Amino acid sequence: MKSINVFAPATVANVACGFDIFGFAVDNPGDKITLTLREEPGVTITDIIGDDGRLPREAHRNTAGIAIQSYLQHIGRTDVGVDAVLYKQMPLGSGLGSSAASAVAGVFAINELLDRPLTTRQLIPFAMEGERIACGSAHADNVGPSLLGGFVVVRSYQPLDVIRIDTTANLFCTLVHPDIEVNTKDARFILKNEVSLKNTITQMGNVAGLIAGLMTPDYDLISRSLVDVIIEPVRAILIPEFNEAKQAALESGALGCSISGSGPSMFALSRDAETASRVGAAMQQAFLGVGITSEAYISEINRQGPRVI
Amino acid sequence: MKSINVFAPATVANVACGFDIFGFAVDNPGDKITLTLREEPGVTITDIIGDDGRLPREAHRNTAGIAIQSYLQHIGRTDVGVDAVLYKQMPLGSGLGSSAASAVAGVFAINELLDRPLTTRQLIPFAMEGERIACGSAHADNVGPSLLGGFVVVRSYQPLDVIRIDTTANLFCTLVHPDIEVNTKDARFILKNEVSLKNTITQMGNVAGLIAGLMTPDYDLISRSLVDVIIEPVRAILIPEFNEAKQAALESGALGCSISGSGPSMFALSRDAETASRVGAAMQQAFLGVGITSEAYISEINRQGPRVI
């Protein structure tokens, strides 16, 4: 039967100043999925490799499964049958957009198998359904960049307005995932519902600077704008050695460093691969100072989104 | 003696979503200044035309005078003597950046007369001194665009970081100044010190969309992003018929419409001069509906800042 293998990229949401509106995709890590068409209608997760048995195998409770199901329903092809094998290649609950990558891989793969009835952009709402069961809300700041590649703004949800930010900036991403657990719901629960007008103005200035810095491109402006006065000061307390790891990144030459998504992973952006590697080593060393081991990923920005492999 | 005439543009600060961080310059209206070097050191405002006697004539209390004085002090040329005649060509306290235009005209003119010891960008802090005595705070969101031309972001004040947003968008501005008084201090006093996190996120999305829309350029994105959920809903109550005038602008084809600076003037942006004129007429008509007369100005975006005339 017809079969396909797809890779979908991990993503960094928020990106310092852009809480809930901004994200970008990386080439490493990412999830893989194998889909095989079959005669019997329905979606079956036949296996998940690399999750230590933690993810649900029932299709309607699995982020990739639900994304494929809602896609097939939308295009009126519930006659289609598909077996899915999911290869989790990144830590779960790490702030790297793991659930989004699985959902994006699934929906991109089924759309390819059926000879693209929809454009890639049109797949966003179905991948968001995966986020709804994984996180409780159908947010798009991981799904958007994972599907479209590059840097993406989610300007609004009603109506959904996902904007790709064109940039010729040559940026390398360092991701460091410390081996600690942060519950996404805790990470959201500790945020205050109110922000001072002063901090709102500062953050808007940094958002404007970051978009302008990317589109120009102006690396100094990107660096000056990668500052979060609203979320990072609150969430940093959930990550031991956050300040030390961030300082180590900046002292090693990173343009900026903050929390990836709701953490506990941290990201840094640098101008070349060598700096990005040095930044990763320095951050890992900072965590090791208090006995916390970590994984580091060095990668270019992923510009194309998912790909058939 | 050596003499010079300079025009400096009026400006729209805030621009819907960009409270305190964003502004742009227009070609009409604007202020003019005539400076003449003289032998006796010091700065003298010899006359002000068009202010109905409302502005201070003492140089150290006049926005243009103080800007020139602080500039001469900074470059160590307190030996210079200059007579200034200021031509106010826009309503005072109207939200059109009247004080900024006078300060910018003054400091640009003296720098030209002395054969440009400083770059235009370096003049910003001295023009800001004019704002300090006019408004009580040395803000840069009018001074920045008036001096640099085009669209300008004030990302931060410490250190001062003023960014010009390059755009090839062809935009026309409608300014309507209703003949009512809004005190700038009142306009600031009624703002809340706290903003909901939800509105902060919405506003950040619109800031990102507006910058990306201008730089792409993408007129639909500019239009969708010209939305203010924080300041406009509060300040609109100070402007009778605000909602009607805004609706009239949008129905006449404007990309967006909001309060100019702290009001009471309103601005709209359109894609061509004909639409901008129609928008202006419709807004004036809305104000006339409740017996409020107004002045309307139709203009291209000013891209060069002040100019010698």
Side-chain angles (χ1 to χ4, degrees):
Chain A
M1 296 297 284
K2 206 174 164 189
S3 182
I4 197 171
N5 296 301
V6 162
F7 166 88
T11 43
V12 172
N14 300 348
V15 196
C17 55
F19 179 66
D20 269 10
I21 65 151
F22 203 46
F24 65 83
V26 295
D27 266 336
N28 176 34
D31 278 354
K32 287 184 195 172
I33 201 166
T34 301
L35 291 195
T36 308
L37 291 181
R38 67 172 190 224
E39 292 207 351
E40 187 199 349
V43 180
T44 306
I45 308 289
T46 52
D47 204 359
I48 304 178
I49 318 293
D51 72 331
D52 293 331
R54 289 168 63 193
L55 294 177
R57 264 60 181 170
E58 304 95 316
H60 69 281
R61 292 183 55 224
N62 178 283
T63 56
I66 199 87
I68 298 171
Q69 283 180 337
S70 62
Y71 165 87
L72 289 173
Q73 205 143 28
H74 176 84
I75 64 165
R77 288 298 306 274
T78 47
D79 61 303
V80 170
V82 64
D83 288 328
V85 180
L86 188 58
Y87 301 85
K88 292 301 301 179
Q89 301 181 330
M90 63 177 107
L92 309 180
S94 58
L96 299 175
S98 164
S99 57
S102 296
V104 164
V107 79
F108 185 86
I110 187 68
N111 193 53
E112 290 290 311
L113 269 184
L114 300 181
D115 296 325
R116 301 191 204 169
L118 299 186
T119 65
T120 302
R121 182 174 275 274
Q122 288 175 319
L123 302 178
I124 297 174
F126 313 108
M128 286 168 68
E129 287 305 309
E131 293 290 65
R132 188 193 303 279
I133 59 157
C135 320
S137 80
H139 62 102
D141 50 346
N142 291 108
V143 156
S146 184
L147 254 174
L148 303 181
F151 289 85
V152 165
V153 168
V154 183
R155 194 194 62 83
S156 96
Y157 282 92
Q158 286 175 329
L160 184 65
D161 193 0
V162 178
I163 305 151
R164 199 165 185 286
I165 300 298
D166 283 326
T167 176
T168 58
N170 202 18
L171 293 168
F172 291 79
C173 180
T174 305
L175 292 171
V176 174
H177 173 242
D179 296 325
I180 56 172
E181 294 253 340
V182 170
N183 185 304
T184 303
K185 283 174 189 162
D186 287 351
R188 195 155 278 267
F189 186 72
I190 62 167
L191 298 180
K192 298 178 185 105
N193 287 325
E194 300 279 313
V195 181
S196 71
L197 181 59
K198 183 169 172 288
N199 278 347
T200 297
I201 293 165
T202 301
Q203 199 89 345
M204 292 195 305
N206 286 327
V207 167
L210 181 54
I211 302 294
L214 286 167
M215 292 183 77
T216 303
D218 177 336
Y219 295 96
D220 282 342
L221 178 54
I222 292 170
S223 180
R224 297 197 301 275
S225 303
L226 282 171
V227 175
D228 176 7
V229 297
I230 296 177
I231 306 298
E232 183 186 296
V234 180
R235 283 191 172 163
I237 60 168
L238 297 175
I239 306 171
E241 299 302 282
F242 172 84
N243 290 325
E244 290 74 6
K246 177 176 175 174
Q247 198 183 330
L250 298 177
E251 283 172 359
S252 300
L255 295 172
C257 174
S258 186
I259 303 167
S260 179
S262 54
S265 293
M266 296 175 64
F267 81 95
L269 287 171
S270 300
R271 289 199 59 172
D272 56 73
E274 195 191 333
T275 305
S277 294
R278 194 169 60 236
V279 164
M283 293 171 73
Q284 289 195 287
Q285 198 57 45
F287 282 117
L288 263 187
V290 291
I292 297 173
T293 56
S294 61
E295 299 90 51
Y297 306 87
I298 312 297
S299 162
E300 287 190 70
I301 304 300
N302 169 296
R303 294 184 186 272
Q304 71 170 115
R307 60 179 178 266
V308 178
I309 49 177
Chain B
M1 297 295 286
K2 207 172 162 189
S3 182
I4 197 171
N5 296 302
V6 163
F7 166 88
T11 43
V12 172
N14 300 349
V15 197
C17 54
F19 179 65
D20 267 10
I21 64 151
F22 204 45
F24 66 83
V26 295
D27 265 336
N28 176 34
D31 278 354
K32 289 185 196 173
I33 201 165
T34 301
L35 291 194
T36 307
L37 291 180
R38 66 171 191 225
E39 291 208 353
E40 188 199 348
V43 180
T44 305
I45 309 287
T46 51
D47 203 358
I48 303 178
I49 319 293
D51 72 331
D52 294 330
R54 289 168 63 194
L55 293 176
R57 263 61 181 169
E58 304 95 315
H60 69 281
R61 291 183 55 224
N62 178 285
T63 56
I66 200 86
I68 298 169
Q69 283 178 337
S70 61
Y71 165 87
L72 289 174
Q73 204 143 28
H74 174 85
I75 63 165
R77 288 296 305 276
T78 46
D79 61 303
V80 170
V82 64
D83 288 326
V85 180
L86 187 58
Y87 301 85
K88 292 302 299 180
Q89 301 180 330
M90 63 177 112
L92 308 180
S94 57
L96 299 175
S98 163
S99 58
S102 296
V104 164
V107 78
F108 185 87
I110 186 69
N111 194 52
E112 291 291 313
L113 269 184
L114 300 180
D115 296 326
R116 300 191 205 168
L118 299 186
T119 65
T120 302
R121 184 174 273 276
Q122 288 174 320
L123 302 178
I124 296 175
F126 313 109
M128 286 169 68
E129 288 304 310
E131 293 291 63
R132 189 192 303 280
I133 58 155
C135 320
S137 80
H139 62 101
D141 50 347
N142 292 107
V143 156
S146 185
L147 253 174
L148 303 181
F151 290 85
V152 165
V153 168
V154 184
R155 195 194 61 81
S156 94
Y157 283 91
Q158 290 176 323
L160 184 65
D161 191 0
V162 178
I163 305 150
R164 198 165 185 284
I165 301 299
D166 282 326
T167 178
T168 58
N170 203 17
L171 293 169
F172 291 79
C173 180
T174 305
L175 293 171
V176 174
H177 172 242
D179 295 324
I180 57 173
E181 293 253 340
V182 170
N183 186 303
T184 303
K185 281 174 189 160
D186 288 349
R188 194 156 279 266
F189 186 72
I190 62 167
L191 298 179
K192 298 179 183 104
N193 287 325
E194 301 280 311
V195 181
S196 72
L197 181 58
K198 183 170 171 289
N199 278 347
T200 299
I201 293 165
T202 301
Q203 199 91 345
M204 290 195 305
N206 286 327
V207 167
L210 182 55
I211 302 294
L214 286 168
M215 292 183 79
T216 303
D218 177 336
Y219 295 95
D220 282 343
L221 178 54
I222 292 169
S223 180
R224 298 198 299 277
S225 304
L226 282 171
V227 175
D228 175 5
V229 298
I230 296 177
I231 305 300
E232 183 187 296
V234 180
R235 283 190 174 164
I237 59 169
L238 296 176
I239 306 171
E241 298 303 282
F242 172 84
N243 291 324
E244 291 75 6
K246 178 177 175 175
Q247 200 184 327
L250 298 177
E251 283 171 1
S252 301
L255 295 172
C257 174
S258 186
I259 303 166
S260 179
S262 54
S265 294
M266 296 174 64
F267 81 96
L269 287 171
S270 300
R271 289 198 60 173
D272 56 72
E274 195 191 333
T275 306
S277 294
R278 195 170 58 237
V279 164
M283 292 172 73
Q284 288 195 287
Q285 197 57 43
F287 281 117
L288 263 187
V290 291
I292 298 173
T293 56
S294 61
E295 298 90 51
Y297 306 88
I298 313 296
S299 161
E300 286 190 72
I301 304 299
N302 169 298
R303 295 183 184 275
Q304 71 171 112
R307 60 177 179 268
V308 177
I309 50 177

